[in-house]
Amino acid sequence: MPYQRIKFYQTGSFAVGNRLLPADLRSVQSSATRSNTLTCGHRACQGCGEALGARYALDAVMRATKGKLIAVNATGCLEVFSTPFPETSWQIAWLHSLFGNAPAVATGVAAALKAMGRSDIRVVGQGGDGGTVDIGMACLSGMFERNDDVLYICYDNQAYMNTGVQRSGATPPAARTATTPAEGPEPGNTFGQGKNVPLIAMAHEIPYVATATVADLRDLEYKATRAMDFHGARYLHILVPCPLGWGSSPADTIKVARLAVESALFPVFEAEAGEVVSATPIRRQVPVTDYLRLQARYAHLFRPEERTDVIARIQASADRNVSRFGLLQDHPERMRLPLDSPVGSAEGR
């Protein structure tokens, strides 16, 4: 169900975009009748990317399923700030599981619905990168291998934020955390460690894998909706900046997420049955320093002196993503996409 990409003429703002569009082209969030799956009263930090990502994704899934959805949530920031006992900010059927077994619990829910003959109700599992990339990896891989009819969403803020900003398998190289201090000849997180779960999911050749960020609402909503067109195991990986853990301004959450894409450190793409079918193009690749300087977790790379050697390694990683996914519009390896695809339109960013 490709959507028509919208050309926004007001530089730096989407403020007027939805109000001038036909109703069928407007985003889910622009609708007064949206489901508000995650509503007011939660305890998320100011500028929390995870709160935005969860609401955006699940509101889109709710529309796609006509409100027939059950969500299973791993322990983590999202669960803690949204459900302080005895309260909840969730307006959907919602279950809390352990830190590492959300994929297994979601699988059980889907199996129970199948046994009851309820094919109209869909299941979403969700968790942060700690509960997905590390603690829940075995359950997630099992869900993929069995091709269980579950959409699993990872809200990736690149560390264990709820317990004090410890390193996770999604923490990027050179980033400072409580367990990867900015000390020694190679400060911050070690290069060459961690896991790329979207690529791991693709290796299972499941029906649908996609990445997205909170900086592109329409792309995120499209992919959450598109995932519900498939049955079987599906995986959506959303980059959600964490001002507290990243040391960025709460006002810069969307800007930081956008720079992660425009620097090519976070490639945005879709894959079906193990093959990449589309990638969001970058009009002009920005230096990784534009992204790094906005975050205190990388401050040690710029003072007391600039670590050009470390920054060069991070830039090389971004450049590899450009080649791997053909991200630049004029790149010789740029993927050929159909004009009606959500990223192949001439109206792309």
Side-chain angles (χ1 to χ4, degrees):
M1 192 189 75
Y3 70 80
Q4 178 182 335
R5 291 195 67 89
I6 306 302
K7 182 77 171 180
F8 293 100
Y9 293 97
Q10 184 175 346
T11 303
S13 172
F14 292 171
V16 301
N18 283 317
R19 290 197 295 271
L20 300 180
L21 295 175
D24 60 338
L25 293 181
R26 297 174 190 170
S27 69
V28 175
Q29 289 300 310
S30 71
S31 173
T33 62
R34 65 179 182 268
S35 56
N36 287 321
T37 51
L38 181 63
T39 189
C40 61
H42 62 70
R43 272 69 164 174
C45 299
Q46 187 178 31
C48 174
E50 189 167 28
L52 292 174
R55 174 171 167 172
Y56 292 168
L58 290 193
D59 277 357
V61 172
M62 281 287 278
R63 185 171 73 173
T65 60
K66 297 179 172 58
K68 295 183 177 181
L69 175 70
I70 297 176
V72 176
N73 208 128
T75 295
C77 268
L78 181 59
E79 167 263 325
V80 169
F81 73 62
S82 65
T83 58
F85 183 82
E87 303 168 2
T88 180
S89 292
W90 293 100
Q91 306 299 302
I92 57 174
W94 183 93
L95 288 79
H96 171 220
S97 68
L98 301 178
F99 214 144
N101 71 344
V105 174
T107 290
V109 173
L113 291 170
K114 182 178 179 180
M116 296 169 63
R118 294 301 303 271
S119 59
D120 57 324
I121 302 176
R122 309 298 296 278
V123 181
V124 169
Q126 56 183 3
D129 53 286
T132 303
V133 178
D134 294 338
I135 304 174
M137 175 53 68
C139 290
L140 185 65
S141 179
M143 189 196 96
F144 291 161
E145 184 177 339
R146 294 186 301 270
N147 198 29
D148 295 318
D149 191 18
V150 174
L151 166 62
Y152 190 91
I153 303 175
C154 175
Y155 303 105
D156 182 8
N157 55 26
Q158 300 186 335
Y160 289 86
M161 300 307 183
N162 180 53
T163 54
V165 195
Q166 296 89 3
R167 176 203 176 275
S168 80
T171 302
R176 183 196 68 198
T177 70
T179 51
T180 57
E183 300 174 0
E186 294 189 5
N189 192 33
T190 305
F191 280 83
Q193 295 184 354
K195 299 184 273 300
N196 189 321
V197 179
L199 297 187
I200 293 173
M202 287 173 57
H204 288 75
E205 298 188 358
I206 61 176
Y208 186 74
V209 176
T211 63
T213 80
V214 292
D216 192 336
L217 170 61
R218 293 179 61 82
D219 177 71
L220 194 163
E221 289 184 345
Y222 161 75
K223 287 170 178 171
T225 301
R226 174 66 174 151
M228 305 315 291
D229 290 341
F230 294 86
H231 285 273
R234 291 142 287 144
Y235 182 72
L236 178 57
H237 192 101
I238 306 174
L239 183 68
V240 291
C242 172
L244 178 66
W246 294 16
S248 56
S249 168
D252 285 341
T253 295
I254 301 303
K255 181 179 181 180
V256 170
R258 184 175 295 118
L259 286 172
V261 175
E262 293 179 348
S263 65
L265 283 173
F266 187 84
V268 175
F269 65 91
E270 287 182 288
E272 297 178 14
E275 299 292 337
V276 175
V277 295
S278 69
T280 299
I282 301 173
R283 179 170 296 173
R284 180 183 64 85
Q285 185 182 7
V286 302
V288 295
T289 51
D290 289 8
Y291 170 73
L292 302 176
R293 288 184 185 277
L294 293 178
Q295 305 167 61
R297 62 175 177 164
Y298 294 112
H300 56 281
L301 300 183
F302 300 98
R303 58 177 186 269
E305 60 183 20
E306 186 166 318
R307 292 295 305 269
T308 55
D309 55 334
V310 178
I311 294 172
R313 294 182 70 181
I314 297 173
Q315 184 65 61
S317 177
D319 294 343
R320 281 195 299 272
N321 284 333
V322 170
S323 296
R324 171 182 284 179
F325 297 98
L327 297 178
L328 288 179
Q329 290 183 337
D330 58 351
H331 194 277
E333 298 178 19
R334 170 93 180 99
M335 273 186 294
R336 304 288 296 183
L337 303 174
L339 291 178
D340 63 348
S341 79
V343 294
S345 165
E347 295 298 317
R349 69 174 65 179

